[in-house]
């Protein structure tokens, strides 16, 4: 496959293919994406140059920070190599904090107690009661002050104890889940349940690493709220022949009578971290058991030939409705939670499944040269394939896939993470944002909106923590600058309706505060307790902080599920690594710390691949 060859016939058939994609989507409507596609795909834009220079504010910031161009070397080395001035880093940390504060304060002033902020009209947004089929809104908004809940641990990570304590008290006093709201089980779990558990853990931590985040007379109210919500989600796991849950549940009435029998793999298989934490805090195995049963059910349905899973499955028959296998929407967090469940709970089978999944991803989804930083050929790229044959299904990737370099960091496959991250960064440089879908064959967005997603920032942060290479601070600075320039609105930050035209939509999703701002802040905050305390922390798929400690290592469910038998040829629990790659953390030597993580000729190749140069 040649990335740079744009087939003339494909260009001539583009409009026809777009119409076909619109009629035959790869994913069941509204099940697997955090955002549906409300408009037709645009014609391919003209090739764009690099983003426009920053505003005078940013130019002033760079000058005050002491960042100047280095001399010698090629353009990439001049721009990215060398040390990153600590003064500039501190200013960028403060800018990231200011971004969060502006978004959070705007929500509290104009939108609370509603779920989300409309940043263009400075008002709140809740469920769409007039149109129950508006899943783009109703899957996420449950009439329970979503943005406030989702932002709790970001307040703590930024050390704002007074606002954290005030926000927690507001949640305790005002939030109820006794609502006639039909929500997506996945979204309610990762955004709401996960944040309540994270804040509870922070409040009850005897070490208090973020400052005094304790609440006077706290009586586990957040844990009780989390328990109440989880109980209301449990009906999704009932009356399903496979054990795979229904995608939606009404918080008062249970599963709606007209509920779909189809769900996406990520939505059904990414509940184990939050449900497992809740079970282990309560000493009640019920929640972990249903989540673990769903993971095992999905795992049992993988292809016998490729070992891959599809993206949409029928929960009653186990039949794959969507046969696309990739790393983006519909599958992304399923892989993420196989590894993170092992990290948190230490269960051997979770690591077994992850290593098998990673091996099959490398065998069937990865294209390009074998090594990231040496050799000839196209850069590594992970594509969408048919789960049964491994054959290419389309030529687009989506922005959610940008999380994968961060996951590779966690298992030590840093070299491969460097290449994939560079590809997504190149797209960001071209548009000042990541389009929801990008067609690498046509070098153009297929779906051009950007809802302030955090995945590229997350991978940037984790790669910096793994390599300490200042390159990733430059990447974070570019992202921060683009967000300020293109998405800042009257009352917060707005979704980009079109990454080329830079038109805005009146929505600020809660994950902007819980993830995007948090990862940007942590990237520039070297002294943050997360990096200094000696404690071990993990981020959920919604960016919520949870401590990795022994209280989550006691299994509660072996008496219900069959015991796991370890075979002598299986990987040991201490061996957290992928089994089929040649590079690892130790192969990024110290002398490369202030050099480009990717050789400039390969970086230029990727920039050409996305039409940046």
């Amino acid at each position: 496959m040649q990335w740079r060859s744009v087939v003339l016939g494909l260009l001539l058939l583009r409009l026809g293919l777009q119409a076909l994609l619109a009629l035959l989507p790869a994913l069941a409507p509204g099940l697997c994406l955090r955002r549906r596609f409300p408009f037709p795909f645009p014609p391919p834009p003209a090739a764009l140059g690099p983003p426009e220079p920053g505003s005078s504010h940013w130019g002033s910031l760079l000058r005050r920070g002491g960042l100047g161009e280095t001399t010698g070397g090629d353009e990439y080395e001049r721009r990215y190599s060398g040390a990153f001035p600590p003064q500039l880093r501190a200013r960028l940390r403060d800018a990231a904090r200011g971004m969060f504060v502006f978004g959070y304060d705007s929500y509290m002033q104009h939108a609370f107690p509603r779920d989300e902020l409309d940043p263009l009209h400075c008002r709140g947004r809740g469920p769409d009661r007039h149109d129950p089929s508006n899943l783009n809104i109703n899957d996420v908004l449950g009439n329970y002050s979503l943005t406030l809940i989702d932002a709790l641990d970001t307040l703590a990570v930024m050390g704002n104890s007074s606002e954290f304590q005030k926000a927690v008290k507001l949640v305790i006093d005002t939030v109820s889940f006794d609502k006639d709201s039909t929500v997506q089980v996945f979204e309610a779990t990762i955004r709401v349940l996960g944040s309540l558990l994270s804040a509870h853990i922070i409040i009850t931590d005897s070490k208090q690493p973020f400052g005094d985040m304790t609440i006077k007379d706290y009586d586990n109210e957040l844990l009780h709220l989390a328990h109440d919500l989880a109980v209301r989600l449990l009906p999704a796991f009932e009356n399903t022949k496979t054990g795979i849950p229904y995608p939606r549940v009404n918080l008062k009435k249970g599963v709606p009578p007209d509920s779909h029998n189809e769900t996406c793999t990520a939505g059904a298989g990414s509940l184990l971290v939050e449900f497992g934490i809740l079970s282990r805090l309560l000493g009640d195995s019920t929640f972990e058991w249903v989540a673990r049963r769903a993971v095992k059910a999905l795992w049992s349905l993988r292809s016998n030939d490729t070992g891959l899973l599809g993206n949409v499955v029928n929960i009653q028959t186990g039949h794959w409705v969507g046969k696309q296998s990739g790393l983006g929407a519909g599958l992304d967090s399923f892989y993420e939670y196989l590894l993170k469940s092992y990290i948190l709970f230490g269960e051997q089978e979770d690591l077994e499944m992850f290593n098998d999944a990673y091996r099959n991803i490398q065998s069937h989804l990865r294209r390009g040269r074998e090594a990231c930083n040496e050799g000839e050929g196209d850069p590594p790229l992970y594509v969408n394939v048919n789960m049964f044959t491994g054959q290419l299904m389309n030529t687009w990737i989506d922005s959610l896939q940008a999380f994968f370099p961060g996951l590779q960091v966690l298992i030590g496959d840093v070299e491969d993470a460097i290449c994939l991250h560079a590809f997504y960064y190149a797209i960001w440089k071209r548009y000042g944002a990541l389009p929801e879908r990008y067609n690498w064959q046509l070098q153009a967005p297929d779906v051009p909106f950007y809802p302030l997603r955090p995945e590229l920032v997350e991978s940037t942060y984790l790669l910096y923590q793994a390599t300490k290479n200042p390159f990733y601070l430059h990447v974070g600075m570019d992202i921060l600058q683009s967000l300020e320039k293109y998405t800042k609105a009257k009352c917060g930050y707005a979704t980009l309706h079109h990454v080329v035209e830079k038109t805005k939509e009146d929505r600020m999703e809660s994950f902007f505060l819980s993830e995007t701002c948090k990862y940007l802040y942590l990237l520039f905050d070297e002294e943050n307790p997360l990096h200094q305390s000696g404690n071990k922390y993990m981020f959920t798929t919604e960016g919520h902080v949870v401590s990795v400690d022994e209280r989550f290592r006691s299994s509660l469910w072996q008496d219900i599920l069959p015991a796991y038998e370890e075979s002598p040829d299986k990987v040991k629990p201490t061996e957290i690594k992928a089994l089929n790659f040649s590079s690892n953390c130790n192969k990024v030597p110290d002398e490369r710390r202030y050099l480009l993580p990717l050789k400039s000729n390969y970086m230029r190749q990727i920039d050409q691949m996305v039409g940046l140069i």
Side-chain angles (χ1 to χ4, degrees):
M1 179 175 54
Q2 296 296 323
W3 312 123
R4 296 177 299 277
S5 63
V6 181
V7 181
L8 178 61
L10 183 60
L11 288 173
L12 294 175
L13 290 173
R14 176 172 172 76
L15 293 177
L17 289 174
Q18 289 173 345
L20 181 61
L21 286 173
L23 293 173
L24 299 173
L27 303 176
L31 290 179
C32 306
L33 294 175
R34 291 186 178 183
R35 169 66 188 266
R36 298 169 74 193
F37 307 141
F39 44 80
F41 299 155
L48 301 178
E52 298 176 18
S55 66
S56 58
H57 163 75
W58 282 95
S60 174
L61 180 66
L62 297 181
R63 289 190 295 273
R64 291 198 306 270
L67 185 65
E69 287 196 6
T70 58
T71 58
D74 67 10
E75 57 185 304
Y76 294 94
E77 292 172 348
R78 287 194 299 271
R79 180 175 181 184
Y80 296 114
S81 294
F84 200 89
Q87 300 92 336
L88 176 59
R89 185 170 181 165
R91 292 182 183 276
L92 292 168
R93 176 202 62 206
D94 294 343
R97 182 195 288 118
M99 178 179 289
F100 170 83
V101 169
F102 180 58
Y104 177 83
D105 286 352
S106 295
Y107 165 77
M108 294 303 298
Q109 179 180 352
H110 302 288
F112 176 81
R114 306 196 78 185
D115 288 306
E116 281 183 352
L117 170 69
D118 288 355
L120 301 183
H121 289 93
C122 302
R123 64 193 179 195
R125 178 199 298 263
D128 187 349
R129 302 299 191 192
H130 300 292
D131 183 9
S133 67
N134 186 0
L135 302 180
N136 177 37
I137 297 298
N138 294 328
D139 270 358
V140 179
L141 309 189
N143 193 23
Y144 39 42
S145 302
L146 171 65
T147 297
L148 175 64
I149 296 176
D150 214 359
L152 288 176
D153 69 303
T154 306
L155 290 166
V157 167
M158 292 186 178
N160 192 340
S161 58
S162 61
E163 191 61 36
F164 174 79
Q165 292 162 347
K166 177 182 175 182
V168 168
K169 290 174 182 176
L170 269 177
V171 170
I172 293 172
D173 292 340
T174 66
V175 171
S176 168
F177 298 118
D178 190 25
K179 307 283 188 181
D180 187 15
S181 299
T182 299
V183 296
Q184 193 184 82
V185 175
F186 170 71
E187 295 290 359
T189 297
I190 66 169
R191 299 201 197 200
V192 183
L193 181 62
S195 187
L196 292 171
L197 293 171
S198 175
H200 170 76
I201 291 169
I202 290 170
I203 292 167
T204 57
D205 188 344
S206 61
K207 298 179 181 178
Q208 288 296 299
F210 302 109
D212 184 7
M213 301 293 163
T214 58
I215 305 295
K216 185 179 179 180
D217 300 323
Y218 180 70
D219 191 23
N220 297 326
E221 287 92 344
L222 296 187
L223 182 60
H224 297 323
L225 276 172
H227 185 202
D228 178 52
L229 175 59
V231 168
R232 295 173 186 274
L233 299 178
L234 282 180
F237 296 86
E238 300 170 1
N239 301 316
T240 161
K241 296 178 181 178
T242 62
I244 302 170
Y246 285 91
R248 297 175 185 85
V249 67
N250 184 283
L251 296 178
K252 266 185 178 287
K253 305 171 184 177
V255 176
D258 60 347
S259 183
H260 292 284
N261 283 328
E262 296 166 358
T263 191
C264 67
T265 305
S270 305
L271 311 173
L272 184 52
V273 166
E274 289 83 3
F275 275 47
I277 292 172
L278 181 64
S279 276
R280 293 172 192 238
L281 287 175
L282 295 174
D284 180 351
S285 62
T286 303
F287 306 99
E288 181 172 353
W289 178 70
V290 296
R292 192 170 289 278
R293 181 182 62 172
V295 172
K296 289 187 174 184
L298 288 164
W299 186 248
S300 70
L301 298 175
R302 66 195 187 280
S303 167
N304 292 328
D305 296 323
T306 66
L308 298 174
L309 294 88
N311 56 359
V312 181
V313 67
N314 186 297
I315 65 172
Q316 303 295 351
T317 66
H319 173 71
W320 288 107
V321 180
K323 300 175 178 62
Q324 177 175 297
S325 191
L327 298 179
L331 278 158
D332 51 350
S333 54
F334 177 80
Y335 300 124
E336 178 185 3
Y337 268 21
L338 289 180
L339 180 60
K340 289 186 175 180
S341 294
Y342 171 74
I343 293 173
L344 195 59
F345 306 130
E347 300 292 350
Q348 173 83 0
E349 61 182 339
D350 296 334
L351 182 60
E352 293 276 354
M353 288 187 285
F354 176 80
N355 276 324
D356 284 346
Y358 194 80
R359 180 184 298 110
N360 295 326
I361 287 168
Q362 296 297 316
S363 297
H364 300 288
L365 272 61
R366 191 182 187 276
R367 303 291 193 269
R369 61 177 178 268
E370 181 178 352
C372 169
N373 237 337
E374 59 185 32
E376 298 181 356
D378 292 313
L381 183 67
Y382 293 84
V383 299
N384 300 317
V385 303
N386 183 290
M387 64 172 290
F388 295 109
T389 66
Q391 296 299 307
L392 185 71
M393 287 193 70
N394 50 56
T395 59
W396 56 259
I397 54 175
D398 65 55
S399 63
L400 290 171
Q401 185 180 324
F403 92 99
F404 197 68
L407 190 65
Q408 290 181 304
V409 167
L410 295 184
I411 57 170
D413 198 354
V414 176
E415 288 285 6
D416 208 61
I418 286 170
C419 256
L420 187 57
H421 173 274
F423 175 71
Y424 278 95
Y425 175 48
I427 299 173
W428 185 284
K429 285 190 293 183
R430 180 173 177 183
Y431 301 108
L434 279 185
E436 192 72 350
R437 284 185 184 175
Y438 176 81
N439 192 310
W440 45 261
Q441 183 72 54
L442 300 176
Q443 297 185 349
D446 270 352
V447 180
F449 70 82
Y450 169 66
L452 307 174
R453 290 202 189 277
E455 283 75 16
L456 178 61
V457 188
E458 175 187 5
S459 289
T460 302
Y461 164 68
L462 292 171
L463 270 165
Y464 178 74
Q465 289 300 312
T467 66
K468 297 299 181 183
N469 193 307
F471 170 81
Y472 296 105
L473 300 177
H474 286 274
V475 174
M477 182 170 64
D478 283 353
I479 293 172
L480 187 59
Q481 179 176 356
S482 297
L483 290 172
E484 282 286 345
K485 183 176 182 180
Y486 298 125
T487 72
K488 192 170 186 177
K490 181 180 179 182
C491 301
Y493 294 83
T495 291
L496 283 183
H497 180 76
H498 200 294
V499 298
V500 178
E501 299 169 358
K502 301 299 187 294
T503 50
K504 296 183 178 72
E505 290 186 24
D506 200 11
R507 188 176 187 186
M508 186 180 82
E509 294 225 37
S510 66
F511 53 68
F512 176 70
L513 299 183
S514 71
E515 298 184 81
T516 308
C517 292
K518 180 186 291 149
Y519 287 126
L520 276 171
Y521 178 81
L522 288 172
L523 175 64
F524 298 115
D525 188 21
E526 186 75 18
E527 304 303 317
N528 193 275
L530 277 175
H531 309 143
Q532 297 293 318
S533 68
N535 292 340
K536 296 180 179 179
Y537 292 92
M538 188 188 79
F539 296 97
T540 71
T541 194
E542 185 73 6
H544 297 306
V545 176
V546 295
S547 55
V548 180
D549 57 45
E550 289 301 319
R551 61 179 159 166
F552 298 135
R553 293 282 170 142
S554 298
S555 297
L556 302 168
W557 48 268
Q558 283 97 337
D559 56 332
I560 303 176
L561 290 176
Y564 177 73
E565 297 182 1
E566 181 179 343
S567 74
D569 59 340
K570 297 294 187 180
V571 66
K572 301 303 180 186
T574 54
E575 295 175 344
I576 256 191
K577 62 180 181 179
L579 298 179
N580 61 318
F581 64 87
S582 59
S583 60
N584 55 51
C585 289
N586 296 328
K587 290 195 176 181
V588 182
D590 290 341
E591 57 266 24
R592 278 180 51 192
R593 183 156 293 181
Y594 292 104
L595 301 176
L596 291 173
L598 187 63
K599 294 175 183 177
S600 58
N601 59 311
Y602 293 134
M603 195 170 291
R604 185 175 295 104
Q605 180 190 35
I606 291 175
D607 284 353
Q608 292 171 341
M609 177 178 163
V610 304
L612 184 62
I613 57 177

